[in-house]
Each structure stands twice: as structure tokens, then as C-alpha cells.
Amino acid sequence: EVQLVQSGAEVKKVGESLKISCKGSGYDFSTYWIAWVRQVPGKGLEWLGIFYPGDSDVRYSLSLQGQVTISADKSINTAYLQWSSLKASDSAIYYCARHINWGDGYFDSWGQGTLVTVSS
Amino acid sequence: SSVLTQPPSVSVAPGQTARISCEGDNFGSRPVHWYQQKPGQAPVLVLHDDSDRPSGIPERFSGSISGNTATLAISRVEAGDGADYYCQVWDGTTDHVLFGGGTKLTVL
């Protein structure tokens, strides 16, 4: 069974750094793209970017580029989303999701979500 | 950039058919995918490649494309189908994944 298990909720202050994780199991982690999707509570889904653990290829949403870093450690089947300096507007639920067939593909498995709260 | 437009809400009585639309300007040959999200839960894939159902998704869920509009249809709607539904495509021009704004399905 494919599973994506994310790290727990975080409460941070503006300007702090943060790294959240997503551990995959039940499949060959290196051979599937893994994406991060943001959702402000009560709002819609927003794609942030995607990473291919096999060769470390990464793509970012142009609206977010430079604000977050997506990476992965394929030796421990874990993907990461990190911020160097959080803003209040980064408060949201962050989902990781496995992507099938980059390009025209879809997300077939999702993590449970990580709630990030940033206060001033 | 491309935008996917969904109606904010759709209401339907139990047993009837719900239809949720997703209008875009770049479908062309691009496949459309649909997700269901219940309160407090992660999204779940309900249709991929316009009309294919993943394992475990009831046959009541179906999809179609006509011109620039994709439609998710849920027949014989049940109370448990009440959720937010999102369409998704890939924008080949920007190499971005796009989501529609979401539609809240209310079962009356």
C-alpha cells in the first residue's frame, strides 16, 4: 500500500526557518515525482512545486519561486519543503502528493497534511 | 496564465445526478483529473484522464469533456458525496499544475 506520512503541525514566528517532511512507503520512492500543495483553511488547492528523487529534478510554481525550497533524500524515502524566513501569509495546510506521469499526470496518493501556523 | 473555472457551489437532492463543471482555455488534448476533499481530510483522486476511475471509486462517478468544459457527474448522489471537488490539469505552456477553484457539493 502506498503511504505518504507527513511531519506534525508547526507553530512558528515570522522570520523563522522551517523544514517539513513527507515520508513515502510501499513503492519505489526514486521513480515517482512528489509534489507539494498548499491550502489556506477554507480556500482552494495551490500547487507549489514538484521534485523527482531519481535525479533531483525540481520545478517550482513561478509565484512561489525563491520563497520555498523542495528537496528529498531518497536514501530515507523522504521529501522536504523548507522556508528560510517565514511570513504570516505562509500559514496554511501543506500536502505532499505522489504524481503519476509528470506533464499530463495526476496525484494518486496524498499525505495527511501538515498545518503550519506563523504568527507575528 | 491559464485558469480553471468551477462553480463555487452545487446542490442536489439524494438520488439525483450532480454535475460539476470545470472550464479552461487550454484543455485541447490535455487530460483533466478530479479530486474529492471532505472537511478535515486530504484530497482523494476520484477520476483521472477525463473519465477513468481509480480502484475503489464507485461507478456512480463519471467524467466527460466538451470543448473547453470538463464535467464530473455523480449519479444517484448519496449524503456521503457531500464534499469539495477540484479539477486539475497540467499547463504545458508554463509547466505548471493547475487546480480549479473548487466546488462545494451540498446534498440536500
Side-chain angles (χ1 to χ4, degrees), chain A residues 37 39 43-47 50 59-63 95 99 101-113, chain B residues 29-31 33 35 37 40-45 48-49 84 86 88-91 94-101:
Chain A
V37 175
Q39 185 173 41
K43 303 297 184 181
L45 304 174
E46 178 186 11
W47 177 75
I50 197 164
R59 319 285 173 87
Y60 292 98
S61 166
L62 290 176
S63 64
Y95 295 100
H99 192 90
N101 188 25
W102 173 242
D104 283 329
Y106 52 91
F107 303 105
D108 73 330
S109 294
W110 294 69
Q112 83 276 20
Chain B
S29 60
R30 300 255 86 91
H33 317 295
Y35 303 88
Q37 186 180 33
Q41 298 183 21
V44 172
L45 178 72
H48 65 88
D49 297 296
D84 293 327
Y86 296 90
Q88 176 247 308
V89 298
W90 177 62
D91 183 342
T94 60
D95 205 23
H96 276 39
V97 169
L98 298 178
F99 287 101

Side-chain angles (χ1 to χ4, degrees), chain B:
Chain B
S1 62
S2 297
V3 174
L4 299 179
T5 302
Q6 298 183 235
S9 63
V10 168
S11 297
V12 64
Q16 300 302 304
T17 298
R19 291 181 177 83
I20 298 172
S21 61
C22 172
E23 185 176 347
D25 59 3
N26 69 337
F27 283 165
S29 60
R30 300 255 86 91
V32 180
H33 317 295
W34 291 90
Y35 303 88
Q36 175 195 70
Q37 186 180 33
K38 296 183 178 181
Q41 298 183 21
V44 172
L45 178 72
V46 293
L47 289 179
H48 65 88
D49 297 296
D50 302 338
S51 59
D52 291 341
R53 283 175 290 103
S55 173
I57 301 301
E59 291 183 7
R60 302 184 296 105
F61 287 77
S62 63
S64 62
I65 301 276
S66 178
N68 287 334
T69 301
T71 301
L72 166 67
I74 309 171
S75 62
R76 303 184 299 283
V77 165
E78 303 172 357
D81 296 330
D84 293 327
Y85 290 84
Y86 296 90
C87 58
Q88 176 247 308
V89 298
W90 177 62
D91 183 342
T93 302
T94 60
D95 205 23
H96 276 39
V97 169
L98 298 178
F99 287 101
T103 298
K104 182 179 181 63
L105 176 64
T106 299
V107 181
L108 300 170

